[in-house]
Amino acid sequence: MSDGRNGELKQIICIKWGTKFGPDYVNRLHAMIARNITPPFRLFCFTDDGTGLHPDVAVRPLPDFAYEAPVNTRGKWPKSRLWGDLGDVTGVVLFLDLDVIVTGDLDPFFTFGDPDDTVLGRNPNTPLEKMGQTSVYRMRVGKLAPLQQIFAADPQGVADQYRYEQRFVTRNAPGGVKFWPRGWLAHFRFHCVPVFPLNYLMEPRIPRGTRIVMFPGSLNPPDAIAGRWDEADPVRPPLAHLRALFTGDRREAPLKHLRHYVRPTSWVARLWRD
């Protein structure tokens, strides 16, 4: 079975369901991977609609989901489809969220640690908890299948207890989890956007050594390019955003409004392309 080492095929997987992300996200992900990896590699997209995907993307149907996904709890629980049998995709796979930006060499994600390790990013939201981040993780296909069985027995109960699927994986992965070396991953809002008030003066930056920038939450690459905190926000120059604090033309409390400003980010536009 492939583990992406010593010239073997590097396998990357992603998942696309519903209408939130169109085929352009998958195609741009494929292009960014191709520019930052030593071949051979293949991107497998598990999806309910393969329309418009690049011909080099290997389209696979969404794995069976024989239980109801929780609807009253946050978290990307439909990603649990990937924890079990993936058909003809076997061996070691690197999972990437569709909204990441590849900024450096991806080869080390396949050589780090042991091929049987389940490797996650560190979640900067909870540094004391040491919770994993599943925007970028590596696993051997099928190793997380026991988690599917636990989850299937009581999906809403598991979601209520853990809130996020990444906490569930961190706490229950067979054999435990390891974390990528510090600095390989950057969280766009935490690590790239300057702190207030510098966020009004400087565009976000890529921290040195970063290989992948993640976009958890509602701020996605198109928002970073435009210069807005999420798609519901208007695009404003810095002074107009500050004036909105006093005119009442804002969607959040004053302190959040001040912090939640991002200048248009040129490197996202440069890197996030086919």
Side-chain angles (χ1 to χ4, degrees):
M1 292 185 292
S2 174
D3 64 12
R5 298 169 189 243
N6 301 320
E8 290 189 358
L9 179 70
K10 300 177 179 72
Q11 300 182 132
I12 302 100
I13 64 172
C14 65
I15 186 169
K16 182 175 82 72
W17 73 90
T19 59
K20 180 178 181 181
F21 296 122
D24 54 321
Y25 276 79
V26 181
N27 294 339
R28 287 170 174 163
L29 179 62
H30 181 270
M32 290 187 292
I33 293 168
R35 291 192 290 268
N36 292 279
I37 201 168
T38 302
F41 81 94
R42 198 169 196 194
L43 174 64
F44 296 88
C45 180
F46 293 87
T47 182
D48 55 2
D49 183 3
T51 304
L53 295 187
H54 190 283
D56 289 342
V57 175
V59 179
R60 296 293 185 271
L62 288 175
D64 290 339
F65 198 65
Y67 41 88
E68 292 295 325
V71 295
N72 300 321
T73 310
R74 297 176 68 181
K76 304 297 189 294
W77 291 99
K79 288 163 68 171
S80 63
R81 290 175 179 269
L82 302 179
W83 296 344
D85 180 22
L86 297 183
D88 64 343
V89 181
T90 60
V92 174
V93 294
L94 178 69
F95 172 85
L96 298 179
D97 268 347
L98 292 180
D99 54 357
V100 302
I101 303 292
V102 181
T103 59
D105 184 12
L106 294 177
D107 290 351
F109 287 98
F110 293 91
T111 57
F112 175 76
D114 186 274
D116 282 325
D117 291 336
T118 300
V119 191
L120 281 64
R122 292 178 183 268
N123 193 315
N125 279 316
T126 58
L128 298 180
E129 183 186 355
K130 295 183 179 179
M131 182 170 77
Q133 217 317 323
T134 56
S135 291
V136 180
Y137 73 93
R138 197 187 74 206
M139 66 177 177
R140 185 173 290 281
V141 173
K143 187 171 182 180
L144 298 183
L147 301 191
Q148 278 189 329
Q149 299 170 13
I150 299 170
F151 184 50
D154 185 9
Q156 190 61 60
V158 170
D160 289 342
Q161 179 181 354
Y162 292 95
R163 292 195 66 198
Y164 299 100
E165 89 290 336
Q166 53 203 18
R167 179 177 285 121
F168 181 56
V169 173
T170 305
R171 296 286 173 266
N172 297 281
V177 301
K178 292 186 177 178
F179 295 103
W180 300 117
R182 292 187 183 275
W184 284 16
L185 306 180
H187 186 302
F188 182 77
R189 287 182 287 117
F190 278 84
H191 301 136
C192 301
V193 178
V195 298
F196 173 81
L198 297 179
N199 56 326
Y200 289 83
L201 304 173
M202 302 164 56
E203 78 169 60
R205 65 181 184 86
I206 305 172
R208 181 176 297 180
T210 298
R211 300 177 186 273
I212 298 176
V213 176
M214 309 174 295
F215 285 77
S218 58
L219 199 170
N220 291 315
D223 305 310
I225 293 169
R228 64 191 179 201
W229 204 254
D230 67 40
E231 62 181 7
D233 280 341
V235 177
R236 292 169 168 149
L239 288 178
H241 190 82
L242 288 170
R243 280 197 299 269
L245 180 68
F246 304 102
T247 63
D249 184 19
R250 53 181 169 81
R251 299 171 54 240
E252 299 180 300
L255 289 179
K256 281 190 174 183
H257 179 83
L258 285 174
R259 294 198 308 268
H260 291 180
Y261 182 77
V262 57
R263 293 183 69 94
T265 309
S266 59
W267 55 264
V268 175
R270 175 171 51 85
L271 297 177
W272 195 60
R273 58 182 173 82
D274 292 350

